[in-house]
Amino acid sequence: MDRINIRKMMLDDIDDVHKIEEEAFPFTTWKKETYIHEVTLNNFAHYFVLEIDESIIGYIGMWIVIDDGQITTIAVKREHQGRGYAKKLMNFAMDYMQPPVKKVSLEVNVKNESAIKLYESLGFLYGGIRKDYYGPGMDAHVMWVNLDERH
């Protein structure tokens, strides 16, 4: 049986995380420096990796500002998608934020149907569209959930 572990992202993890990032978001890839900043300098940021048998297969990032939470990024290696790992990361993040967070928001590419279905299954609602959020012609849905109302 696979050993699944979620733990804080460390600087040594960034190369592995960045490879997953490039595969998941080829047109909007964050730079490694962004992750370094988030992990070392941003006091609002909390980043975690999901490992199977000590191999990183996914990650999630969030910001916690007073009582608001923001999922900043989430991805799972392509060969591990469809097995519930993204849902596991999302549930972990929402549990991690409570308390003090009451509301969590995120942006998702309007064409990313599998992610949208995941967020809907977790109780996220639509809050609007951010035009060109991921670049020209790449809009995002803004979605949010009240943590005390989620199912």
Side-chain angles (χ1 to χ4, degrees):
M1 187 166 159
D2 295 331
R3 291 191 333 263
I4 298 170
N5 182 44
I6 298 175
R7 63 167 176 78
K8 274 207 171 284
M9 185 185 296
M10 310 299 282
L11 284 175
D12 289 348
D13 300 326
I14 291 175
D15 285 341
D16 290 335
V17 166
H18 197 255
K19 286 176 190 163
I20 298 169
E21 171 87 13
E22 289 175 317
E23 177 187 77
F25 309 111
F27 302 108
T28 58
T29 302
W30 284 13
K31 295 179 173 145
K32 287 182 186 179
E33 292 78 16
T34 302
Y35 283 102
I36 292 168
H37 177 269
E38 291 292 278
V39 170
T40 60
L41 298 174
N42 185 345
N43 293 329
F44 301 111
H46 305 265
Y47 282 73
F48 296 87
V49 295
L50 185 146
E51 299 173 313
I52 296 179
D53 296 329
E54 299 182 15
S55 178
I56 295 172
I57 63 115
Y59 62 90
I60 191 164
M62 67 197 92
W63 289 355
I64 298 173
V65 181
I66 307 173
D67 61 354
D68 277 334
Q70 166 82 21
I71 301 296
T72 57
T73 188
I74 179 173
V76 173
K77 276 187 175 180
R78 188 167 288 126
E79 63 266 25
H80 293 280
Q81 291 177 2
R83 298 182 192 168
Y85 295 124
K87 188 169 194 170
K88 186 178 287 294
L89 283 165
M90 286 295 296
N91 280 319
F92 173 86
M94 291 187 291
D95 289 345
Y96 178 85
M97 289 189 220
Q98 286 189 292
V101 170
K102 296 178 179 11
K103 184 174 89 175
V104 176
S105 63
L106 55 79
E107 288 86 13
V108 58
N109 190 309
V110 297
K111 296 177 182 173
N112 191 341
E113 293 177 19
S114 61
I116 291 167
K117 286 179 185 173
L118 167 65
Y119 303 142
E120 288 174 336
S121 78
L122 294 167
F124 280 78
L125 304 171
Y126 293 93
I129 296 274
R130 289 196 197 272
K131 291 298 235 181
D132 300 328
Y133 182 77
Y134 296 107
M138 294 189 288
D139 299 342
H141 285 298
V142 177
M143 300 182 78
W144 61 272
V145 65
N146 284 326
L147 292 182
D148 56 355
E149 296 175 8
R150 78 178 221 219
H151 44 86

